Amino acid sequence: MIRTVLTAGLTLALGAFALAWLDLQQATRRITPELYAAVIAIVFAAGGLWLGWKIATRRHGPDFVRNDAAVRSLGLTGQEMKVLDALASGRANKEIARSMGLSPNTVKTHLANLFSKLEVATRTAAVTRARDLGLIP
C-alpha cells in the first residue's frame, strides 16, 4: 500500500513538474502552441490508458474465487449466475437474452428471481450485493 501511494505521489509530482516546464517553454516561445497541446494530449492519453489497464486487471484479477457456499445458500441456479455475470458487465436485458439464447421475458424472470434471492430492488443493488457476497468479481 505504501509503495502504491509513493509511486502515485512521485508520478503526480513528476507530471506537475513536466507540465510546469512545458508551460514555461511555451510561455517563452521556445515551443509552438501546437506542440505544447500535442504533448499534453499524448501524456494524458497515455496516463488514461495506463490507469484503465491497472483498474481493469485489478478488478478481474486471477485471484477471484467464487463463493460457492453463498451460491448454494441463496439457491441460485446456473442460469441465474450467468444472468448475474452479464448484468455485472452492464448489458441490457435484450443483449443478455441474445447472448444466452433466451427470450427477454425469461431474462426478466431470472432477474426477478435474483432480486428476490439477493433481497434487492435494483440492478445496481443486485450487482453490489453479489460483489459483497463474492458471487462475481
Side-chain angles (χ1 to χ4, degrees):
M1 180 68 176
I2 291 175
R3 180 178 162 203
T4 304
V5 171
L6 290 176
T7 303
L10 182 61
T11 303
L12 288 173
L14 288 174
F17 175 78
L19 284 174
W21 181 80
L22 272 174
D23 194 38
L24 177 66
Q25 297 302 313
Q26 197 271 331
T28 58
R29 299 190 192 275
R30 291 186 185 174
I31 61 173
T32 63
E34 293 83 13
L35 181 61
Y36 176 71
V39 169
I40 296 294
I42 290 169
V43 168
F44 276 92
L49 289 172
W50 175 79
L51 183 62
W53 176 75
K54 290 300 265 184
I55 290 171
T57 56
R58 181 175 297 162
R59 191 169 125 202
H60 299 293
D63 55 346
F64 174 74
V65 177
R66 179 167 276 141
N67 186 352
D68 291 327
V71 172
R72 284 190 303 276
S73 70
L74 291 171
L76 297 175
T77 65
Q79 285 289 77
E80 289 171 346
M81 287 303 300
K82 289 177 185 176
V83 169
L84 184 59
D85 286 334
L87 184 67
S89 67
R91 293 183 177 169
N93 289 358
K94 287 184 181 180
E95 292 174 313
I96 296 170
R98 199 174 310 123
S99 69
M100 293 179 64
L102 304 172
S103 75
N105 288 334
T106 304
V107 172
K108 288 179 187 178
T109 301
H110 286 311
L111 285 174
N113 292 339
L114 280 169
F115 291 173
S116 173
K117 291 176 181 180
L118 293 172
E119 299 175 349
V120 295
T122 64
R123 297 165 75 94
T124 306
V127 171
T128 303
R129 178 104 166 109
R131 283 197 174 124
D132 290 344
L133 292 172
L135 302 175
I136 55 175

